[in-house]
């Protein structure tokens, strides 16, 4: 069971940190990702990390602005979002047990947390 937190309202240029805590499976050796879905748009992969190797993957639109990290002690994954833009507004979901390279086959999902960036 994945539980996200940290969403909210922020002005453009600001920062937010999202957290995903795993209250079921141990995150060791998993792919854990953040996806987002804006109104009227398809869900898209934003950032992904392989907890075993630490390898990270980012969508082109967020590369250099978002950072995904894994905290083994907390069994959690965080995503720090900087230089936020209005187009980053979306519901952000944590997902696990998938494939970072293809953004596919994620079986476990959180309930989502809203991020709103005002102009």
């Amino acid at each position: 069971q994945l539980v996200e937190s940290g969403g909210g309202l922020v002005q453009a240029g600001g920062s937010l940190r999202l957290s995903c805590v795993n209250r079921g499976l141990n995150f060791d050796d998993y792919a854990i990702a953040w996806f987002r879905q804006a109104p009227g748009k398809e869900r898209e992969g934003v950032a992904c990390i392989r907890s075993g190797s630490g390898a990270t993957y980012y969508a082109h639109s967020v590369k250099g602005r978002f950072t995904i990290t894994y905290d083994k002690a907390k069994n959690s994954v965080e995503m720090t979002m900087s230089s936020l833009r209005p187009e980053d507004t979306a519901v952000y979901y944590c997902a696990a047990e998938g494939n970072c390279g293809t953004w596919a086959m994620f079986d476990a999902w959180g309930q989502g947390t809203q991020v709103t960036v005002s102009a």
Side-chain angles (χ1 to χ4, degrees):
Q1 294 174 342
L2 306 178
V3 180
E4 303 101 331
S5 62
L9 173 64
V10 65
Q11 288 187 332
S15 299
L16 279 176
R17 179 179 294 175
L18 304 184
S19 178
C20 174
V21 176
N22 190 345
R23 294 180 177 172
L25 298 169
N26 191 307
F27 264 156
D28 278 353
D29 202 25
Y30 272 101
I32 307 106
W34 286 96
F35 288 77
R36 67 185 181 187
Q37 188 165 22
K41 294 188 177 181
E42 292 188 356
R43 185 174 61 198
E44 62 172 344
V46 175
C48 190
I49 187 167
R50 296 183 190 272
S51 60
S53 66
T56 56
Y57 303 74
Y58 295 96
H60 178 74
S61 59
V62 306
K63 201 167 187 178
R65 301 189 297 122
F66 291 11
T67 302
I68 187 170
T69 55
Y70 166 58
D71 188 327
K72 184 175 182 177
K74 296 180 180 179
N75 200 35
S76 67
V77 169
E78 293 189 342
M79 182 168 69
T80 302
M81 306 183 294
S82 303
S83 302
L84 284 163
R85 305 166 180 168
E87 53 264 38
D88 294 318
T89 295
V91 177
Y92 283 72
Y93 298 90
C94 178
E97 302 183 66
N99 185 301
C100 284
T102 62
W103 303 101
M105 298 185 291
F106 284 86
D107 292 331
W109 291 84
Q111 80 287 354
T113 184
Q114 176 70 46
V115 171
T116 303
V117 184
S118 62

